[in-house]
Amino acid sequence: METKRVVIQDIQAPKDEELLEAAKLLAGNGLVAFPTETVYGLGANALDEAAAKKIYAAKGRPSDNPLIAHVARMEDVDVLVKEIPQAGRKLMETFWPGPLTLVFPKSECVPYGTTGGLDTVAVRMPSHPVAKRLIELAGVPVAAPSANLSGRPSPTTAEHVMQDMNGRIDMVVDGGAVNIGVESTIVDVSGDVPMLLRPGAVTIEMLQEVLGKVEIDPVILGPVQDGRKPKAPGMKYRHYAPKAQMTLVEGADLEEMSGKLRALAAEKIQQGYQVGIICTEETRAKYPEGIVRSIGTRGEEDTIAHNLFAVLREFDDCGVTYIFSETFPKDHLGQAIMNRLCKAAGYRIV
Ligand code: AMP
Ligand code: MG
């Protein structure tokens, strides 16, 4: 299959002509990758079991890992869910359109092929102008997991999508680099107390402000323990895994952290290995050797989220054997950043 690439001229105001072919593919049985404000999604008709199967095949994704259904308007949620609990309604009103996915009890229309066999369905309304208009034109809810091969870092540019999906999907809608860079926050509102299943740009602090009490699925804070099942099935897989062995380095302050990291890197470099170092603008000058990449500015954590997956991909491409990364405070957006870094490192932290 040849993967067609359609470049959107103005992502703030995409033209319908630019999106019509993609929309037709989505309404039919096709696979189309498109930009959202979080990462690139790999879209297919969420109500069509066969289309969902094609997503799993293209990604090499385990079929028990459910897909998020994307909608263009609030009212499009109704057909997908049995009911909208009050907490869900409040969150929709506050954060939609935006980087928040909500898990509801599913309606009969949603095939088990989309929900990985679960009786719940995850739904999100993206704010990205291209995603919004494309879903509207398709006229169906669009199931769209991240458009990477299973186990690879999520794609934040159309180039990343092509690296993984060229020849496996019908089309990539190219809207340049995405804004946020980490996947959506997921909150389960199907039970009595809302529960955070995956941290993202809508932070736990923001959720608590709206809801008061929010539980946190313990698996987002540490490795999956035997017998403890994450509520978001996808969280059990070693996502975002770079090819290199990755280690996170903690320290009481930046001085101690960078000192430790520098010593660990030096040891491997001396043994003749290629070593990647993930640092920030504040600490870049502290690393005289290794392949050093700054992922952003500590004072502006959104820059770190934005660059994180691109840096992991870059290290994959340049073939380093070891990666050492600095760590970040775990509050606000830092919770999402550390969740992704911990998973990428397989929780190897020193
Ligand atoms: P991705 O779209 O690749 O970011 O992955 C979707 C994430 O949403 C995975 O971690 C899934 O496990 C999670 N998810 C999707 N549907 C549900 C659901 N019904 N209940 C819990 N988690 C879900
Ligand atoms: Mg994913």
Side-chain angles (χ1 to χ4, degrees):
M1 169 191 310
E2 201 189 321
T3 302
K4 189 167 172 183
R5 184 167 178 166
V6 173
V7 180
I8 305 300
Q9 294 308 321
D10 176 1
I11 61 161
Q12 293 311 321
K15 294 199 184 70
D16 284 358
E17 308 91 271
E18 295 173 309
L19 294 175
L20 276 173
E21 193 181 345
K24 250 190 217 149
L25 281 164
L26 286 173
N29 200 277
L31 294 184
V32 177
F34 60 93
T36 78
E37 67 276 25
T38 57
V39 300
Y40 270 75
L42 175 54
N45 184 348
L47 301 179
D48 178 344
E49 190 132 32
K53 275 215 176 95
K54 283 169 70 174
I55 289 183
Y56 288 107
K59 279 180 63 81
R61 180 173 173 119
S63 63
D64 68 345
N65 188 359
L67 308 175
I68 296 170
H70 292 68
V71 297
R73 298 168 313 174
M74 295 275 185
E75 56 267 37
D76 295 340
V77 178
D78 297 342
V79 338
L80 302 172
V81 307
K82 239 190 202 141
E83 49 159 352
I84 299 182
Q86 212 200 334
R89 179 69 66 190
K90 270 194 190 163
L91 293 176
M92 287 163 68
E93 282 164 3
T94 313
F95 297 111
W96 279 13
L100 174 69
T101 296
L102 296 171
V103 175
F104 298 102
K106 85 169 191 70
S107 72
E108 305 276 294
C109 310
V110 183
Y112 283 110
T114 298
T115 70
L118 298 176
D119 286 314
T120 51
V121 61
V123 188
R124 178 164 103 83
M125 177 169 157
S127 63
H128 194 292
V130 173
K132 253 173 103 169
R133 189 63 189 145
L134 176 60
I135 298 165
E136 228 162 54
L137 289 171
V140 293
V142 176
S146 50
N148 50 284
L149 286 174
S150 209
R152 290 264 286 158
S154 294
T156 56
T157 66
E159 204 44 56
H160 296 163
V161 176
M162 285 303 261
Q163 286 169 5
D164 284 12
M165 292 294 159
N166 195 8
R168 303 173 78 89
I169 62 177
D170 297 293
M171 184 182 283
V172 180
V173 177
D174 183 347
V178 301
N179 179 25
I180 295 172
V182 292
E183 305 86 346
S184 60
T185 304
I186 304 180
V187 177
D188 185 346
V189 291
S190 70
D192 291 336
V193 181
M195 184 185 268
L196 176 66
L197 306 189
R198 177 171 76 182
V202 173
T203 64
I204 184 77
E205 291 86 354
M206 292 158 75
L207 294 166
Q208 280 162 343
E209 200 164 302
V210 176
L211 295 178
K213 193 169 155 58
V214 183
E215 287 181 348
I216 301 181
D217 189 355
V219 304
I220 72 174
L221 304 172
V224 179
Q225 313 260 313
D226 290 342
R228 213 169 62 179
K229 228 169 140 188
K231 297 241 304 166
M235 297 290 279
K236 73 172 172 279
Y237 297 107
R238 185 162 172 231
H239 256 153
Y240 330 116
K243 290 172 194 151
Q245 185 195 90
M246 181 162 159
T247 304
L248 309 185
V249 182
E250 289 181 334
D253 52 32
L254 289 188
E255 204 50 48
E256 187 190 300
M257 185 192 298
S258 56
K260 258 166 87 177
L261 199 159
R262 199 163 52 231
L264 287 163
E267 190 189 324
K268 294 296 178 198
I269 291 167
Q270 217 156 48
Q271 292 165 8
Y273 293 108
Q274 287 262 51
V275 172
I277 293 174
I278 299 179
C279 66
T280 53
E281 289 307 302
E282 289 85 349
T283 52
R284 184 193 274 268
K286 297 190 182 292
Y287 304 107
E289 52 180 354
I291 303 177
V292 183
R293 290 289 174 271
S294 162
I295 49 168
T297 311
R298 285 179 179 269
E300 294 161 57
E301 277 193 323
D302 51 336
T303 59
I304 296 168
H306 179 86
N307 294 323
L308 199 160
F309 288 135
V311 169
L312 293 182
R313 276 184 181 260
E314 194 188 333
F315 279 138
D316 268 0
D317 298 340
C318 68
V320 300
T321 311
Y322 292 95
I323 300 172
F324 295 98
S325 172
E326 293 184 357
T327 48
F328 301 89
K330 287 185 189 147
D331 55 355
H332 300 284
L333 187 56
Q335 189 179 45
I337 293 167
M338 282 303 293
N339 170 264
R340 304 318 191 267
L341 281 175
C342 284
K343 290 181 78 184
Y347 298 91
R348 186 191 315 274
I349 303 170
V350 297

